[in-house]
Structures are given as C-alpha cells and as structure tokens.
Amino acid sequence: MLNVDLDRFDIKLLEIIQNDARLPQKDLGESVNLSTAAVNRRLKKLSEQGVIESYNTKIKPEALGFNITVITTIKVINEQFNELESLRKLFSSCRQVQQSYYVAGEWDFVLIILVRNMDEYTELTENLFIKNKNIKKFQTLVAMRKDKVSLSVPIEI
C-alpha cells in the first residue's frame, strides 16, 4: 500500500491527466492555479512515488481486429506459492491477457482476454489452460457488449 500525502492540487492534477495525459503542463497549471514549474515538480514527484504508474494511449481493440472480449475464471490444483507465481507469470506474459487477477472465492484467477476470433481463443486455452497440469478447470464468459471499459480511478475532489 502506498503511503502518500496528496493535497488538493495533486488530486486535481491526477483527475485531469487521468482523462487526458496529453495536456501541456502550462494548461494543467492554469487549470489548478499553479505555475508550469510547480506542475512539473508535482507530476515528477507523483511518478517517483508510484502514484502515477504510466502514461498510456487507449486504442480501440476492434481497430486492430480484436473483436472478442473473453472473461475466463480459473481453478487451480496446487496453491503453493511457487505454483501460483508460475501461473501469474504465464498469464502476465501472454499478450492477449489484458488483465489478470488472483482472487479469493470459488475461483483462483480471473482473466480479461482480447482475441480476434474464437479459433484464437481455442488455441490460447490449449496453451494456457488445457496443457497446464496445475489448472483444474476453467470457465469462459464471452462479452456480448462492452458497456463500460475503464481503468480510471474514481477521484473525488
């Protein structure tokens, strides 16, 4: 857990750049009543503290042919640390896996996966799950529609 003190300027800056990280620091400063140099120092500090993890561009998956979003739940056989770490690394290294969660409850992992078609997903299941001796079972949910897709943090000012 991060132990970071954020003031109202930091929070406002985070809210703005979370929605559009391309804004020039001069414009950011005008929005929060800070100088460009102060904005620069604050953003650098927030990055160094790990509050800002990265600056990304959101690409529409369908524009690159990734037309299917699949949510997969996974149950493992062996929950020893090294076995779980091996799976975590496997899932994290797969380019089609957009999100990977180790979870509590009936299932052990939940993956959000983007694929071009069901043939690609079938091949992926064989490589990630069926051939893996530590996977007990998995369940596939195909998203019919994406009503909301976001990694934005709900910021309250």
Side-chain angles (χ1 to χ4, degrees):
M1 179 186 293
L2 291 177
N3 187 14
V4 180
D5 289 325
L6 301 175
D7 64 19
R8 65 182 177 88
F9 294 109
D10 294 329
I11 292 170
K12 184 65 178 170
L13 285 170
L14 290 171
E15 179 190 37
I16 295 169
I17 66 168
Q18 182 172 243
N19 292 318
D20 186 357
R22 295 179 304 163
L23 284 175
Q25 290 183 1
K26 178 182 179 289
D27 295 349
L28 287 171
E30 290 172 3
S31 297
V32 297
N33 292 325
L34 289 173
S35 69
T36 303
V39 168
N40 185 290
R41 282 192 304 273
R42 284 174 178 270
L43 292 177
K44 182 178 180 194
K45 181 180 172 189
L46 291 166
S47 292
E48 290 170 352
Q49 292 174 324
V51 175
I52 298 173
E53 291 183 329
S54 66
Y55 296 90
N56 299 304
T57 299
K58 184 177 177 186
I59 298 170
K60 188 172 188 75
E62 296 82 2
L64 298 176
F66 290 93
N67 297 307
I68 300 174
T69 300
V70 180
I71 299 98
T72 305
T73 55
I74 300 153
K75 182 82 174 151
V76 302
I77 297 168
N78 184 339
E79 292 188 61
Q80 290 182 346
F81 179 79
N82 60 338
E83 294 290 336
L84 292 175
E85 279 300 300
S86 176
L87 285 173
R88 291 176 68 214
K89 288 178 183 174
L90 175 67
F91 299 150
S92 293
S93 68
C94 179
R95 67 181 184 85
Q96 293 100 329
V97 174
Q98 299 299 291
Q99 297 174 51
S100 175
Y101 300 95
Y102 175 55
V103 297
E106 179 181 351
W107 299 95
D108 297 305
F109 288 92
V110 176
L111 306 179
I112 309 297
I113 301 171
L114 285 178
V115 291
R116 290 181 175 88
N117 52 53
M118 288 311 290
D119 288 339
E120 183 177 354
Y121 182 66
T122 300
E123 183 179 333
L124 202 60
T125 62
E126 290 173 9
N127 293 328
L128 290 180
F129 314 135
I130 296 169
K131 292 179 182 177
N132 192 307
K133 296 188 186 321
N134 195 30
I135 303 292
K136 182 175 184 176
K137 65 180 179 175
F138 67 96
Q139 178 180 353
T140 298
L141 303 165
V142 177
M144 304 279 290
R145 183 179 301 151
K146 293 184 256 183
D147 294 322
K148 180 179 181 180
V149 177
S150 174
L151 292 177
S152 295
V153 177
I155 297 176
E156 295 182 24
I157 298 176

